[in-house]
Amino acid sequence: MRGRRTAPCKVRLVMAVTCFAASMVCALGLRALGWVPGADWLWWLLGASGWVTASLLRRGWLGAWLAALCWGVALAPARVEDDEVPSGGLARLGFQVERGGCGGRGCFAEAVALRCTELEPGACVRAGTRLGVGSVAELPAGAQLTALVRVRPRVRFDNPSESASWLDTRGGCSATVQRGAQPRVDHLSALASAIAVLRVRMRALLERTLKPPHSGIARALLLGEGSAVDPELNEAIRDAGVSHVLAVSGMHVTLLVGAWVLAVRRTWLFTPWAATWEARRVGAALGAVLAPLLARLCGGSPSANRAAWTSMVMYLVTSLGLRPAAMPVAALVTAAFAVLDPREALHPGFLLSVLATAALLSDRPRPKLAHPVLAFVSTAFRTSWRAWLATTPFLLLCFGQLALIPLLANVALLPLGEALVPMAAVHLASAPLDLLATDRLFTLLSGAFVEGARRCATLDPGLTLPPPTPVQTLCIAALAISALVPCGWRVRGLVGALGVVIGVGSELALQLPADTLRVTFLDVGQGDATLLESDGKAMLIDAGGAIGPGPDPGALSVVPALRARRIDKLARVVLSHPHPDHYGGLPAVLATFPTDELWDNGQGPAEDVQPVLEILDAARARGTRTPLVQCGTSMLGRARVEVLAPCPGFDFTREPNDNSFVLRVSHGAHTFLLTGDIEREAEADLIARIGHADVLKLGHHGSRTSSAPEFLRAVAPILAIASAGRGNGFGHPHPEVVQRLGTRLLRTDREGGIELTSDGRTLRVRSARQPRWRDVMAPAS
């Protein structure tokens, strides 16, 4: 029988160009209709590259176009509107639980708001917002409940950058059950109740028959409770690049359902109905029923549900006596999930799963080696290599990491992971009868997996690269595609050479011209952080900080922004005054970037503010100078930096806000006034000597206690910046201040990070949410 011939490389390239053109026409058409934001062109290019990849990788037209369809459908509903952001408060909300479970910190539920009742002032949640709801008992998927929750805006940071980024599809707010309030279950189906009871018994049995950390690993494998694994061990497994082994995914569902189907088929052969009903079709029919139930039993994660529905379709087709093709089925299921849940379709985990699956399904059969060990190692390495190539561009885009050790770690540890899943199931089934010593065997395999992961984690250098630009992202994707597609070495060499040249050119284009000053007011939530760059030198004034528990803006906003600017060293870091929303992010920044000088006004050490003392001690230990800064002038590249206050030093009789550093930055004809958190008392001292400034960073986040009318008249700013968090509970900036400034005011809570550049004559501005440059001051003609 003649095998199917593979299309020549030229034909594949024609297919690729056709798919690329079709996808771009669709993208432009959807943008013209207003269905997607105009700034999201990068996603459409990535979607187009998905069409190209699908056409090049698959030998058949049907599989290629169905895979292309799944990419297009996944990215078509890319417009995910921002949720209304509450200022915080209590609300009694109705929820539909999508996923529930228990981990190291108690039980949890991921739910979607269905209805809102008894809303208190200030708490506003749009129906459909995805919320996390803590609970004291497991809430099964499908349950409808009502709970008294505290609603908070979810802190997220949005800064202008030339680097590529992916869409944040998470909701704009979060909710936790009010302490002492128990959610009331309004509706729970019999099936969901039975699954919940069975999960509780499975969890108790695993905890009783296995010791930590093996019980946590078993719970992660069978119940999808990854948080049950010890955090330190979880980090080692993640660093080794094999965390997907413990996440209930396609591998788990395929192994467990496949084992069930195989057992049914073998047993069916010994029944009197074997001659009437084919064993293969009977087993497949039962597998189609079992797959979605098993996914719910394993926690109902999105990856488990996708794998379950893929298996169900495959088994249904098999039960009809047909032979299903893996690529079209996987593509159709992926497209269906993308249509049903656009947010999940744009989640990095979803797209990484699609990329890895497409790379594996599209691999061409290779002649097997004679020696079984060599054949196994060769197959394992090729599988790991293709999955790594397919996912690396997206990993660089989302996380800026290039992991090399996972290539070898997956070859060594994936067989153990595949053995752990059925072994855990066998142990769970036999443990009540205590017939087999399965606990010892599972502990042995689990111990080997844990030790291997820890050793691999110590070997991985964990290369962290600057976030790539859109052009660099496409170049990296082109290099990966050229290595995956069945084309000759000449084509691969040409693509590689062009990719390197274009990528290096894109990197050189990021360099700031020598005569330019760039001032960026970073989005750090409710706090302050200002970055100055001139002539290759950088100066950071404050780094934000969480007020109470919350994400660290230093690690999640400031450090990524500096890395995107290709900054590897800071000439100066300024701590304007000892308040946590200004110094809280500094430890992460100082631990990441070498710093020449750290300026402090002296009030923190004088008043024994312990976090400030720790920051200063840690900075000195790294070789950073901490001079006593007095009023005067210094240079940052070609920009002049003047310290205007506090002079000659901080005033013991004043609050920290009025002792903030006040800096005037001059570059050519333009002046920037950075006022920290000063209030009216300090503003009154400065009026007589402040002078005009083109750009004013408002004191105290635009509070009514700052930005007095007489101070604003003295400064007469062309543009004013208020650094405040979205939906902050302080009401910053206050309406009086907003009214005084009118259209001259830009706010980080609405604009995201705000960037200004000056060449000494022209002053231009843009923001994260309005990325087009516009002139603030154009040179006189």
Side-chain angles (χ1 to χ4, degrees), residues 114-178:
L114 291 178
R115 58 195 182 280
C116 305
T117 58
E118 302 178 25
L119 284 175
E120 295 190 3
C124 175
V125 181
R126 184 169 62 84
T129 301
R130 192 177 301 277
L131 304 170
V133 184
S135 64
V136 295
E138 181 174 357
L139 297 171
Q144 293 184 13
L145 55 110
T146 302
L148 182 65
V149 297
R150 181 165 295 279
V151 183
R152 295 183 177 89
R154 187 177 64 80
V155 178
R156 56 184 176 190
F157 310 110
D158 193 5
N159 288 303
S161 176
E162 300 296 339
S163 298
S165 61
W166 195 250
L167 177 66
D168 186 356
T169 61
R170 295 172 295 175
C173 53
S174 63
T176 54
V177 174
Q178 181 69 358

Coordinates of all heavy atoms in Angstrom, one line a residue, residues 114-178:
L114 N -23.0 35.5 39.1 CA -24.3 35.4 38.4 C -25.2 36.6 38.6 O -25.9 37.0 37.7 CB -24.9 34.1 38.7 CG -24.2 32.8 38.3 CD1 -25.1 31.6 38.8 CD2 -24.1 32.7 36.8
R115 N -25.3 37.0 39.9 CA -26.3 38.0 40.2 C -25.7 38.8 41.4 O -24.9 38.3 42.1 CB -27.6 37.4 40.6 CG -27.5 36.4 41.7 CD -28.7 35.5 41.8 NE -28.6 34.6 43.0 CZ -27.9 33.4 42.9 NH1 -27.3 33.1 41.8 NH2 -27.9 32.6 44.0
C116 N -26.2 40.0 41.6 CA -25.7 40.8 42.7 C -27.0 41.3 43.5 O -27.9 41.8 42.9 CB -25.0 42.0 42.2 SG -23.6 41.6 41.1
T117 N -26.9 41.1 44.8 CA -28.0 41.6 45.6 C -27.4 42.3 46.8 O -26.3 42.0 47.3 CB -28.9 40.4 46.1 OG1 -28.1 39.4 46.8 CG2 -29.5 39.7 44.9
E118 N -28.2 43.2 47.4 CA -27.8 43.9 48.6 C -26.4 44.5 48.5 O -25.6 44.4 49.4 CB -27.8 42.9 49.8 CG -29.2 42.3 50.1 CD -29.1 41.3 51.2 OE1 -28.3 41.4 52.1 OE2 -30.0 40.4 51.2
L119 N -26.1 45.1 47.4 CA -24.8 45.8 47.2 C -24.7 47.0 48.1 O -25.6 47.8 48.1 CB -24.7 46.2 45.7 CG -24.4 45.1 44.7 CD1 -24.4 45.7 43.3 CD2 -23.0 44.5 45.0
E120 N -23.6 47.1 48.7 CA -23.4 48.3 49.6 C -22.7 49.3 48.7 O -22.1 49.0 47.7 CB -22.5 47.9 50.7 CG -23.2 47.0 51.7 CD -22.4 46.8 53.0 OE1 -21.4 47.5 53.2 OE2 -22.8 46.0 53.9
P121 N -22.8 50.6 49.1 CA -22.2 51.7 48.3 C -20.7 51.4 48.0 O -20.0 51.0 49.0 CB -22.4 52.9 49.1 CG -23.6 52.6 50.0 CD -23.5 51.1 50.3
G122 N -20.3 51.6 46.8 CA -18.8 51.5 46.5 C -18.5 50.1 46.0 O -17.4 49.9 45.5
A123 N -19.4 49.1 46.1 CA -19.1 47.8 45.6 C -19.9 47.5 44.3 O -21.1 47.5 44.3 CB -19.5 46.7 46.6
C124 N -19.2 47.4 43.2 CA -19.8 47.3 41.9 C -19.1 46.1 41.2 O -17.9 46.2 41.0 CB -19.7 48.6 41.1 SG -20.4 48.4 39.5
V125 N -19.9 45.1 40.8 CA -19.3 44.0 40.1 C -20.2 43.7 38.9 O -21.4 43.6 39.0 CB -19.3 42.7 41.0 CG1 -18.7 41.6 40.3 CG2 -18.5 43.0 42.3
R126 N -19.5 43.6 37.8 CA -20.3 43.3 36.5 C -20.5 41.8 36.4 O -19.6 41.0 36.7 CB -19.5 43.8 35.3 CG -20.2 43.7 34.0 CD -19.5 44.4 32.9 NE -18.1 43.9 32.7 CZ -17.8 42.9 31.9 NH1 -18.8 42.3 31.3 NH2 -16.6 42.5 31.8
A127 N -21.7 41.4 36.0 CA -22.0 40.0 35.8 C -21.0 39.4 34.9 O -20.7 40.0 33.8 CB -23.4 39.9 35.4
G128 N -20.6 38.2 35.2 CA -19.6 37.6 34.3 C -18.2 37.8 34.8 O -17.2 37.2 34.2
T129 N -17.9 38.6 35.8 CA -16.6 38.8 36.3 C -16.1 37.5 37.0 O -16.8 36.9 37.8 CB -16.6 40.0 37.3 OG1 -17.0 41.1 36.7 CG2 -15.2 40.2 37.9
R130 N -14.9 37.1 36.7 CA -14.3 35.9 37.3 C -13.8 36.3 38.6 O -12.9 37.2 38.8 CB -13.2 35.4 36.4 CG -12.8 33.9 36.7 CD -11.8 33.4 35.7 NE -12.3 33.4 34.4 CZ -13.1 32.5 33.9 NH1 -13.4 31.4 34.6 NH2 -13.5 32.5 32.6
L131 N -14.2 35.6 39.6 CA -13.8 35.9 41.0 C -13.3 34.6 41.7 O -13.7 33.5 41.4 CB -15.0 36.4 41.8 CG -15.7 37.6 41.2 CD1 -17.0 37.9 42.0 CD2 -14.8 38.8 41.3
G132 N -12.4 34.8 42.6 CA -11.9 33.7 43.5 C -12.6 33.8 44.8 O -12.7 34.9 45.4
V133 N -13.2 32.7 45.3 CA -14.0 32.7 46.5 C -13.4 31.7 47.5 O -13.4 30.5 47.2 CB -15.5 32.4 46.3 CG1 -16.3 32.5 47.5 CG2 -16.1 33.3 45.2
G134 N -12.8 32.2 48.6 CA -12.3 31.3 49.6 C -13.4 30.6 50.3 O -14.5 31.2 50.5
S135 N -13.2 29.5 50.9 CA -14.3 28.8 51.6 C -13.6 27.8 52.6 O -12.4 27.5 52.6 CB -15.2 28.0 50.7 OG -14.5 27.0 50.1
V136 N -14.4 27.4 53.6 CA -13.9 26.5 54.6 C -14.2 25.0 54.2 O -13.6 24.1 54.9 CB -14.5 26.8 56.0 CG1 -14.1 28.2 56.4 CG2 -16.0 26.7 55.9
A137 N -15.0 24.8 53.3 CA -15.3 23.4 52.8 C -15.3 23.4 51.3 O -15.5 24.5 50.6 CB -16.7 22.9 53.3
E138 N -15.0 22.3 50.7 CA -14.9 22.2 49.2 C -16.3 22.5 48.6 O -17.3 21.9 49.0 CB -14.4 20.8 48.8 CG -14.3 20.7 47.3 CD -13.6 19.5 46.8 OE1 -13.2 18.7 47.7 OE2 -13.5 19.2 45.6
L139 N -16.3 23.3 47.6 CA -17.5 23.6 46.8 C -17.3 23.0 45.4 O -16.4 23.4 44.7 CB -17.6 25.1 46.7 CG -17.8 25.9 48.0 CD1 -17.8 27.4 47.8 CD2 -19.2 25.5 48.6
P140 N -18.1 22.0 45.1 CA -17.9 21.3 43.8 C -18.3 22.2 42.6 O -19.1 23.1 42.7 CB -18.9 20.1 43.9 CG -19.9 20.6 44.9 CD -19.2 21.5 45.9
A141 N -17.7 21.8 41.5 CA -18.0 22.5 40.2 C -19.5 22.4 39.9 O -20.1 21.3 40.1 CB -17.2 22.0 39.1
G142 N -20.1 23.4 39.4 CA -21.6 23.4 39.1 C -22.5 23.9 40.2 O -23.6 24.2 40.0
A143 N -21.9 24.0 41.4 CA -22.7 24.5 42.5 C -23.1 26.0 42.4 O -22.2 26.8 42.0 CB -22.0 24.3 43.9
Q144 N -24.3 26.4 42.7 CA -24.7 27.8 42.7 C -24.9 28.2 44.2 O -25.5 27.4 45.0 CB -26.0 28.0 42.0 CG -25.9 27.7 40.5 CD -27.2 28.0 39.7 OE1 -28.1 28.7 40.3 NE2 -27.2 27.6 38.5
L145 N -24.3 29.3 44.5 CA -24.3 29.7 46.0 C -24.4 31.2 46.1 O -24.1 31.9 45.1 CB -23.0 29.1 46.7 CG -21.7 29.5 46.0 CD1 -20.9 30.5 46.9 CD2 -20.8 28.3 45.8
T146 N -24.7 31.6 47.3 CA -24.7 33.0 47.6 C -23.7 33.2 48.8 O -23.7 32.4 49.7 CB -26.1 33.5 48.0 OG1 -27.0 33.2 46.9 CG2 -26.1 35.0 48.3
A147 N -22.9 34.3 48.7 CA -22.0 34.5 49.8 C -21.8 36.0 50.0 O -21.9 36.8 49.1 CB -20.6 33.9 49.4
L148 N -21.5 36.4 51.2 CA -21.2 37.7 51.6 C -19.7 37.9 51.4 O -18.9 37.2 52.1 CB -21.5 38.1 53.0 CG -21.3 39.5 53.5 CD1 -22.1 40.5 52.7 CD2 -21.5 39.6 55.0
V149 N -19.3 38.7 50.4 CA -17.8 38.8 50.1 C -17.4 40.2 50.1 O -18.2 41.1 50.0 CB -17.6 38.2 48.6 CG1 -17.9 36.7 48.5 CG2 -18.4 39.0 47.6
R150 N -16.1 40.3 50.3 CA -15.4 41.7 50.3 C -14.8 41.8 48.9 O -13.9 41.0 48.5 CB -14.4 41.8 51.4 CG -13.7 43.2 51.3 CD -13.0 43.5 52.6 NE -13.9 43.6 53.7 CZ -14.6 44.7 54.1 NH1 -14.5 45.8 53.3 NH2 -15.4 44.7 55.1
V151 N -15.3 42.8 48.1 CA -14.8 43.0 46.8 C -13.7 44.0 46.7 O -13.8 45.0 47.4 CB -16.0 43.5 45.9 CG1 -15.6 43.6 44.4 CG2 -17.2 42.5 46.0
R152 N -12.7 43.7 46.0 CA -11.5 44.6 45.9 C -11.1 44.6 44.4 O -11.2 43.6 43.7 CB -10.3 44.0 46.7 CG -10.5 44.0 48.2 CD -9.3 43.6 48.9 NE -9.4 43.6 50.4 CZ -9.9 42.6 51.1 NH1 -10.2 41.5 50.5 NH2 -10.0 42.7 52.4
P153 N -10.6 45.8 44.0 CA -10.0 45.9 42.7 C -8.8 45.0 42.6 O -8.0 45.1 43.5 CB -9.7 47.3 42.5 CG -9.6 47.9 43.9 CD -10.5 47.1 44.7
R154 N -8.6 44.3 41.5 CA -7.4 43.5 41.4 C -6.3 44.4 40.9 O -6.4 45.1 39.9 CB -7.6 42.3 40.4 CG -6.4 41.4 40.3 CD -6.7 40.3 39.4 NE -6.9 40.7 38.0 CZ -5.9 41.0 37.2 NH1 -4.6 40.9 37.6 NH2 -6.2 41.4 36.0
V155 N -5.1 44.4 41.6 CA -4.0 45.2 41.3 C -3.3 44.7 40.0 O -2.9 43.5 40.0 CB -3.0 45.3 42.4 CG1 -1.8 46.2 42.0 CG2 -3.7 45.9 43.7
R156 N -3.2 45.5 39.0 CA -2.5 45.1 37.8 C -1.8 46.3 37.3 O -2.2 47.4 37.4 CB -3.4 44.5 36.7 CG -4.5 45.3 36.3 CD -5.4 44.5 35.3 NE -6.6 45.2 34.9 CZ -7.5 44.7 34.2 NH1 -7.4 43.4 33.8 NH2 -8.6 45.4 33.8
F157 N -0.6 46.1 36.7 CA 0.3 47.2 36.3 C 0.4 47.2 34.8 O 0.5 46.2 34.1 CB 1.6 47.0 36.9 CG 1.6 46.7 38.4 CD1 1.9 45.5 38.9 CD2 1.2 47.7 39.3 CE1 1.8 45.2 40.3 CE2 1.1 47.5 40.7 CZ 1.4 46.2 41.2
D158 N 0.3 48.4 34.3 CA 0.2 48.6 32.8 C 1.2 49.8 32.5 O 0.8 51.0 32.7 CB -1.2 48.9 32.4 CG -1.4 48.8 30.9 OD1 -0.4 48.4 30.2 OD2 -2.5 49.1 30.4
N159 N 2.3 49.5 31.9 CA 3.3 50.5 31.6 C 3.6 50.5 30.1 O 3.6 49.5 29.5 CB 4.6 50.3 32.4 CG 4.4 50.6 33.9 OD1 4.1 51.7 34.2 ND2 4.7 49.6 34.7
P160 N 4.0 51.7 29.6 CA 4.3 51.8 28.2 C 5.6 51.1 27.9 O 6.6 51.2 28.7 CB 4.4 53.3 27.9 CG 4.7 53.9 29.3 CD 4.0 53.1 30.3
S161 N 5.7 50.4 26.8 CA 6.9 49.6 26.6 C 7.0 49.3 25.1 O 6.0 49.1 24.4 CB 6.9 48.3 27.4 OG 8.0 47.5 27.1
E162 N 8.2 49.2 24.6 CA 8.4 48.8 23.2 C 8.4 47.2 23.1 O 8.5 46.7 22.0 CB 9.8 49.3 22.7 CG 9.9 50.8 22.7 CD 8.9 51.4 21.7 OE1 8.4 50.7 20.8 OE2 8.6 52.6 21.9
S163 N 8.4 46.6 24.3 CA 8.4 45.1 24.3 C 7.0 44.6 24.0 O 6.0 45.2 24.3 CB 9.0 44.6 25.6 OG 10.3 45.1 25.8
A164 N 7.0 43.4 23.5 CA 5.8 42.7 23.2 C 5.2 42.2 24.6 O 5.9 41.9 25.5 CB 6.0 41.5 22.3
S165 N 3.9 42.1 24.6 CA 3.2 41.6 25.8 C 2.0 40.8 25.4 O 1.5 41.0 24.3 CB 2.9 42.7 26.8 OG 2.0 43.6 26.2
W166 N 1.5 40.0 26.3 CA 0.3 39.3 26.0 C -0.9 39.9 26.8 O -0.7 40.5 27.8 CB 0.5 37.8 26.3 CG -0.6 36.9 25.8 CD1 -1.6 36.3 26.4 CD2 -0.8 36.6 24.4 NE1 -2.4 35.6 25.5 CE2 -1.9 35.8 24.3 CE3 -0.1 37.0 23.2 CZ2 -2.4 35.3 23.1 CZ3 -0.6 36.5 22.0 CH2 -1.7 35.7 21.9
L167 N -2.1 39.6 26.3 CA -3.3 40.2 26.9 C -3.5 39.6 28.3 O -3.5 38.4 28.5 CB -4.5 39.9 26.0 CG -5.9 40.4 26.5 CD1 -5.9 41.9 26.6 CD2 -7.0 39.9 25.6
D168 N -3.8 40.5 29.3 CA -4.2 40.0 30.6 C -5.7 39.8 30.6 O -6.5 40.8 30.6 CB -3.8 41.1 31.6 CG -4.0 40.6 33.1 OD1 -4.6 39.5 33.2 OD2 -3.6 41.3 34.0
T169 N -6.1 38.6 30.6 CA -7.6 38.3 30.5 C -8.2 38.1 31.9 O -9.4 37.8 31.9 CB -7.8 37.0 29.7 OG1 -7.1 35.9 30.3 CG2 -7.2 37.2 28.3
R170 N -7.5 38.3 33.0 CA -8.1 38.1 34.3 C -9.1 39.3 34.6 O -9.0 40.4 34.0 CB -7.0 38.1 35.4 CG -6.1 36.9 35.2 CD -5.0 36.9 36.2 NE -4.1 38.1 35.9 CZ -3.1 38.4 36.6 NH1 -2.8 37.8 37.7 NH2 -2.3 39.4 36.3
G171 N -10.0 39.0 35.4 CA -11.0 40.0 35.8 C -10.4 41.2 36.5 O -9.3 41.1 37.0
G172 N -11.1 42.3 36.6 CA -10.6 43.5 37.2 C -10.8 43.6 38.7 O -10.4 44.5 39.3
C173 N -11.5 42.6 39.3 CA -11.7 42.6 40.7 C -11.6 41.2 41.3 O -11.7 40.2 40.6 CB -13.0 43.3 41.1 SG -14.4 42.6 40.2
S174 N -11.5 41.1 42.6 CA -11.4 39.9 43.3 C -12.3 39.9 44.5 O -12.8 41.0 44.9 CB -10.0 39.5 43.7 OG -9.5 40.5 44.6
A175 N -12.7 38.8 45.0 CA -13.6 38.7 46.2 C -13.2 37.6 47.1 O -12.7 36.6 46.6 CB -15.0 38.5 45.7
T176 N -13.3 37.8 48.4 CA -13.0 36.8 49.4 C -14.2 36.8 50.3 O -14.8 37.8 50.6 CB -11.8 37.1 50.2 OG1 -11.8 38.4 50.7 CG2 -10.5 37.0 49.3
V177 N -14.6 35.6 50.8 CA -15.7 35.5 51.7 C -15.4 36.2 53.0 O -14.3 36.1 53.5 CB -16.0 34.0 51.9 CG1 -17.1 33.8 53.0 CG2 -16.4 33.3 50.7
Q178 N -16.3 37.0 53.4 CA -16.1 37.8 54.6 C -15.9 36.8 55.8 O -16.5 35.8 55.9 CB -17.3 38.6 54.9 CG -17.3 39.5 56.2 CD -16.3 40.6 56.0 OE1 -15.6 40.7 55.0 NE2 -16.1 41.4 57.1

